[in-house]
């Protein structure tokens, strides 16, 4: 049986982080948590830890943009979706 974690470790290059931040920002409607996540994505960190709420925001953005399919699959598995 696989272990469950409360977070998902993600590694993204700066271009992917920047594009993801822009996609989240366009869908955020001024949400404070989304703004915090976009600041994190625009930082110089390549490794990120996403909790379930952040993972949902990221999944919505990459699904709408039809990008980062490998990350989409990892997030769906993390969230228990198919």
């Amino acid at each position: 049986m696989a272990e469950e974690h409360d977070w998902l470790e993600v590694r993204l290059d700066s271009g992917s982080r920047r594009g993801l931040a822009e996609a989240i920002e366009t869908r955020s409607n001024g949400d404070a948590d989304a703004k915090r996540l976009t600041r994190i994505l625009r930082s110089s960190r390549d490794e990120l830890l996403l909790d379930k709420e952040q993972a949902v925001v990221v999944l919505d953005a990459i699904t709408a943009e039809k990008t980062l399919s490998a990350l989409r699959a990892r997030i769906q598995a993390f969230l228990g979706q198919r």
Side-chain angles (χ1 to χ4, degrees):
M1 183 179 207
E3 281 186 45
E4 269 193 56
H5 295 287
D6 293 332
W7 47 264
L8 175 67
E9 184 175 344
V10 175
R11 177 167 255 200
L12 296 170
D13 63 41
S14 62
S16 295
R17 287 192 326 271
R18 194 170 29 255
L20 182 54
E22 290 172 9
I24 291 171
E25 193 170 58
T26 61
R27 288 168 182 70
S28 71
N29 297 324
D31 180 56
D33 291 333
K35 283 184 179 183
R36 181 176 174 272
L37 182 56
T38 58
R39 279 195 309 272
I40 292 168
L41 288 166
R42 288 190 172 116
S43 73
S44 61
R45 299 180 218 166
D46 289 341
E47 295 178 4
L48 308 167
L49 292 176
L50 301 177
D51 63 22
K52 290 191 185 275
E53 291 80 22
Q54 292 169 329
V56 168
V57 172
V58 171
L59 181 61
D60 290 344
I62 61 179
T63 299
E65 296 289 318
K66 295 181 173 66
T67 60
L68 302 171
S69 59
L71 178 57
R72 188 175 334 133
R74 288 189 61 217
I75 292 174
Q76 288 172 330
F78 172 64
L79 295 173
Q81 299 176 358
R82 289 183 178 223

